[in-house]
């Protein structure tokens, strides 16, 4: 327990590496939430939300922002505003908007994905995106928007550099297409590259970033863009069921999280990256684990578990699930993302001693 009697996540005996969404609000966030000034946000009358939106927009170089309950809703509102019904969204094959948003672009907005395969790190090649833009002829579906993810979750938290982002924006401009950035972990990308976040968001018509992942707030994401775009996004958010009332109690925690980044206090993100790289090196040394530790750039690492890890030689299904189940029995939590692959995500509630404890568990399992 902490000094004020509240639960301290560092006292949790488990090492929870399932996601950076499992973090819990710290004492400063709890104080801000308790003292938050609130109003009805559907009427744009919550002052804490309004301040959060202003701060978020400024941080990523846009005119306005909208507080969203989730990143998925932020992405889907953006696509709905940008792209006409029955048009295509050009996106990478492993990206979040395609694979982990429940077909929402089709269900909610009548949009089709136009899939482009990125490189090994999930990074989109500008030439491949340009080739995916449909010619404007009567018998083809029109291109409606481009979606880019940075960092790329399912490629292992890989980062796209500012010059690549600028090249993708240039493709969009040449073809008159809006371009949206799924920047759920864009601050991780900025810290990994040593650049300001706005260097990665420049030129995008909209940007979504999460407050509840690496930044550690309990709830929420921000959708940023031009003033007219955000005005329409507010209407679509309400249509999707995202109109919130006295939500300043949540926005207050988001302001604390955002202030740490804005003031250069993103050291915990750098620590998360270092912990992920260290853990990757430990895993890569184990028999039956396939992982190139040099590819780990931020706080996500994905590795393959082979039968050799369990002392077998023949291929068999379910090695990832078996690994995760065995680790969970020793209070280390992970996520299987395929029959053979496991994802681990470091975050501020898993300091180095806990990461070392996880590594010790993995070594025991291998032995």
């Amino acid at each position: 327990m902490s000094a004020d009697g509240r639960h301290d996540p560092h006292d949790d005996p488990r090492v929870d590496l399932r996601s950076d969404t499992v973090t819990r609000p710290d004492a400063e966030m709890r104080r801000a939430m308790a003292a938050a000034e609130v109003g009805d946000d559907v009427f744009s009358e919550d002052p804490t939300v309004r301040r959060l939106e202003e701060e978020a927009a400024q941080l990523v170089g846009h005119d306005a922002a909208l507080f969203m309950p989730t990143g998925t809703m932020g992405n889907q509102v953006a696509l709905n505003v940008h792209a006409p019904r029955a048009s295509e969204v050009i996106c990478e094959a492993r990206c979040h908007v395609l694979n982990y948003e429940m077909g929402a672009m089709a269900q909610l907005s009548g949009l089709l994905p136009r899939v482009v395969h990125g490189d090994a790190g999930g990074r989109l090649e500008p030439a491949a995106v340009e080739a995916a833009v449909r010619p404007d002829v009567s018998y083809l579906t029109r291109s409606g928007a481009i979606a880019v993810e940075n960092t790329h979750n399912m490629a292992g938290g890989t980062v796209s550099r500012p010059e690549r982002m600028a090249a993708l924006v240039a493709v969009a401009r040449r073809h008159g297409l809006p371009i949206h950035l799924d920047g759920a972990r864009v601050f991780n990308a900025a810290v990994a590259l040593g650049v300001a976040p706005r260097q990665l968001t420049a030129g995008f018509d909209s940007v979504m970033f999460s407050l509840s992942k690496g930044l550690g707030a309990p709830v929420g994401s921000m959708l940023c863009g031009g003033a007219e775009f955000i005005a329409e996004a507010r209407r679509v958010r309400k249509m999707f069921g995202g109109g919130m009332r006295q939500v300043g109690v949540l926005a207050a925690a988001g302001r604390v999280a955002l202030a740490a980044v804005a003031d250069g206090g993103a050291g915990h993100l750098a620590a998360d990256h270092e912990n992920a790289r260290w853990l990757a090196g430990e895993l890569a040394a184990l028999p039956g684990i396939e992982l190139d530790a040099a590819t780990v750039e931020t706080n996500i690492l994905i590795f393959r578990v082979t039968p050799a890890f369990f002392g077998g030689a023949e291929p068999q299904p379910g090695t990832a699930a078996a690994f995760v189940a065995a680790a969970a029995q020793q209070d280390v939590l992970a996520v299987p993302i395929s029959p053979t692959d496991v994802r681990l995500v470091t975050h501020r509630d898993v300091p180095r001693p806990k990461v070392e404890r996880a590594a010790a568990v993995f070594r025991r399992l291998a032995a």
Side-chain angles (χ1 to χ4, degrees), residues 325-349:
Q329 289 180 349
Q330 299 191 46
D331 286 332
V332 176
L333 306 184
V335 169
I337 59 170
S338 79
T340 58
D341 294 349
V342 174
R343 187 189 75 164
L344 304 178
V345 185
T346 55
H347 50 83
R348 69 177 193 165
D349 282 4

Side-chain angles (χ1 to χ4, degrees), residues 55-67:
E55 292 157 359
Q58 182 178 22
L59 191 56
V60 296
H62 282 272
D63 295 332
L66 187 62
F67 185 41

